[in-house]
Amino acid sequence: MLNETHSPDLRSWIESANVPGIDFPIQNLPHGIFRRRSSAEAFRGGVAIGDQILDLSAALRAGAFTGTVAAAAEMAAAPTLNGLMAMGPTAWSALRLAISRLLREGAPQVEALRDCLVPQADAENALAARIGDYTDFFTSYHHMVNAGRVFQPDNPPLPNFKWLPIGYHGRSSSIDISGTRFRRPLGQSRAPGDATPHFGPTRRLDYEMELGAFIGPGNARGEPIDVNAADRHVFGLCLLNDWSARDVQGWESQPLGPFLAKNFATTISPWVVTLEALEPFRIALAREAADPQPLPNLRHRSDAPPPGFDIELEVWLRTARSEGGEMRLSRSNFRHCHWSLAQMVAHHTEGGCNLRPGDLIGTGTQSGPSEGEQGCLLELSRGGKQPIALPNGESRAFLEDGDVVTLRAWCAREGHPRIGFGTCSGEVLPCNVREGDRLE
Ligand code: CA
């Protein structure tokens, strides 16, 4: 499964890519869409390397790609990556190998490629794909247990949780690229004990620490994707913050699930880390001896590579009063996820639903078993009953206006360079309607 692009000995002629602990060493090579900040340039595809971006359009003009890989490079240079995502893993892998060889120390094209670099600090990003459909899952056992306890102390686990990856169809029109600010949403909610609901700005705004998965080649209607081939339909992963209005969610969600509580904003990180880059970090799924075997169509072959991924996840908060300082709210790992990405994809299609290149899957809030590993404020503050103390003297039950939430993720394993995901940030702006303005 590993090849020369994963070799820990590789070094790049771009010095910043060789700094230990950087997110984008030459073994990563994530794809994204960018242009120079505040310019009239067209958005186009690039690959993050160190603190730079390799501009693939410029590299194509410089003649860096020849032969069959040039077609994949052209798709990767386009204003969206849907075309590249549709090509599938053989093309992705050939392109990764070509880019890896171009960026290595001693590559013959170094002088021509120096002019094809744009510093990440001078760039702005756009969404990696035109996202046709967005689906959010609910796959963390610990999130289910923690969130369930908020509402009922002896809340029993959902009877379906260990039999299928629970999901719902989300909203793609309000998916934002990292760095976007959004207004605190309005919504209807009903406080415990109140006879009638209330309409106004949410009072219980939350984040959810998730990963996003971009779909590669899709499937035809009525032709489900086999769980043991499903990784070939996943282009790569990014960070995803599924902002949630908990008061709205609590009132509206029965019987059809979240609606306005989650459709106002979803933020994703710009760089899509390919599954191939994540190969060294595969890990078995977390399972207890008493857990049921999935039904056959969700069962991984026992001789297949481990279907999980060992990805550290963090949430950081900057407040209007923290003077730019960030405070870590939680840290967990995707290894605690009960379901694999492949099982999510297979389950999504098993009824006949077609996925398309560039569709986005959210993994669901990722929480771990220990204190400090809760993936959202609802869990951390026990439903708002126990506000958490911040190091700067403030406290939070839920998010306040001016709060900036940043997700980070990376893979680390002995013998392999760290593979990072960059950052996924969003800022909460005040609602444009004051409390009570539209009441009654
Ligand atoms: Ca979610």
Side-chain angles (χ1 to χ4, degrees):
M1 303 299 289
L2 300 191
N3 56 46
E4 66 175 71
T5 66
H6 300 100
S7 169
D9 300 328
L10 292 183
R11 289 174 59 85
S12 174
W13 51 266
I14 297 161
E15 269 309 312
S16 61
N18 303 323
V19 176
I22 194 163
D23 275 348
F24 307 125
I26 192 168
Q27 291 84 357
N28 191 344
L29 304 177
H31 289 270
I33 300 296
F34 78 101
R35 69 177 177 189
R36 283 186 178 78
R37 179 171 292 129
S38 307
S39 75
E41 293 178 356
F43 278 106
R44 56 198 184 274
V47 166
I49 175 77
D51 60 8
Q52 304 288 310
I53 300 167
L54 176 65
D55 181 339
L56 292 173
S57 297
L60 275 159
R61 287 195 297 275
F65 298 99
T66 54
T68 53
V69 79
E74 277 172 27
M75 289 298 184
T80 67
L81 298 181
N82 297 71
L84 177 68
M85 292 170 178
M87 294 181 90
T90 304
W92 306 334
S93 190
L95 180 61
R96 172 179 165 87
L97 177 61
I99 294 171
S100 171
R101 288 177 175 170
L102 287 172
L103 295 177
R104 287 179 201 171
E105 259 179 6
Q109 304 91 338
V110 171
E111 286 318 310
L113 288 176
R114 278 195 202 283
D115 294 336
C116 302
L117 297 177
V118 175
Q120 286 164 30
D122 297 343
E124 60 186 351
N125 291 95
L127 295 176
R130 198 173 52 254
I131 300 167
D133 279 296
Y134 160 51
T135 303
D136 193 26
F137 279 90
F138 183 85
T139 59
S140 163
Y141 182 81
H142 305 289
H143 173 59
M144 172 183 66
V145 169
N146 293 342
R149 276 195 198 120
V150 167
F151 301 107
Q152 277 180 289
D154 58 346
N155 193 54
L158 297 167
N160 55 359
F161 184 88
K162 290 188 173 177
W163 291 99
L164 54 80
I166 299 166
Y168 69 96
H169 289 114
R171 183 79 194 167
S172 55
S173 67
S174 51
I175 297 175
D176 294 323
I177 191 69
S178 177
T180 306
R181 309 155 106 194
F182 66 92
R183 290 192 187 280
R184 175 178 295 271
L186 291 157
Q188 190 181 114
S189 59
R190 194 181 72 177
D194 285 0
T196 55
H198 156 97
F199 181 81
T202 176
R203 297 159 173 173
R204 292 161 70 91
L205 183 62
D206 202 353
Y207 58 80
E208 290 191 336
M209 177 171 76
E210 304 193 18
L211 289 165
F214 277 100
I215 296 297
N219 61 305
R221 279 286 287 286
E223 295 182 15
I225 294 172
D226 186 292
V227 66
N228 287 298
D231 277 351
R232 299 180 65 81
H233 293 262
V234 177
F235 174 71
L237 303 185
C238 62
L239 289 158
L240 186 150
N241 185 346
D242 177 26
W243 306 94
S244 301
R246 299 299 184 193
D247 41 2
V248 178
Q249 186 178 358
W251 172 235
E252 74 174 5
S253 288
Q254 297 300 329
L256 289 183
F259 188 41
L260 272 65
K262 287 167 179 284
N263 70 6
F264 57 92
T266 305
T267 308
I268 60 173
S269 57
W271 298 107
V272 185
V273 178
T274 62
L275 280 208
E276 189 173 358
L278 297 173
E279 281 297 326
F281 307 98
R282 283 188 177 271
I283 193 167
L285 294 175
R287 283 287 184 280
E288 292 170 22
D291 286 347
Q293 271 286 318
L295 295 177
N297 57 331
L298 290 177
R299 199 176 295 167
H300 286 284
R301 269 201 335 259
S302 57
D303 60 345
F309 290 96
D310 186 351
I311 304 174
E312 292 285 323
L313 301 161
E314 283 185 343
V315 183
W316 293 75
L317 175 69
R318 196 172 82 216
T319 76
R321 285 172 49 201
S322 67
E323 298 173 337
E326 281 193 320
M327 301 163 280
R328 193 173 74 190
L329 296 181
S330 57
R331 175 172 178 180
S332 189
N333 191 300
F334 190 46
R335 70 197 303 168
H336 300 304
C337 189
H338 189 83
W339 295 100
S340 68
L341 292 164
Q343 287 169 322
M344 293 179 222
V345 168
H347 176 67
H348 202 311
T349 62
E350 72 183 21
C353 174
N354 50 324
L355 295 176
R356 293 176 294 193
D359 283 357
L360 183 67
I361 282 177
T363 59
T365 309
Q366 295 301 313
S367 299
S370 306
E371 189 57 36
E373 294 182 330
Q374 299 96 329
C376 59
L377 281 172
L378 179 80
E379 295 175 57
L380 280 169
S381 71
R382 275 67 176 170
K385 292 190 187 76
Q386 297 174 31
I388 53 169
L390 302 179
N392 72 340
E394 293 182 84
S395 68
R396 283 293 180 280
F398 292 97
L399 295 172
E400 296 188 3
D401 295 343
D403 283 355
V404 178
V405 176
T406 298
L407 310 186
R408 292 191 172 85
W410 70 93
C411 302
R413 185 165 283 185
E414 188 69 30
H416 290 279
R418 166 189 152 122
I419 297 290
F421 285 71
T423 57
C424 175
S425 292
E427 179 175 353
V428 182
L429 296 175
C431 186
N432 51 357
V433 176
R434 280 170 304 159
E435 184 75 30
D437 273 2
R438 290 195 200 171
L439 289 177
E440 277 80 53

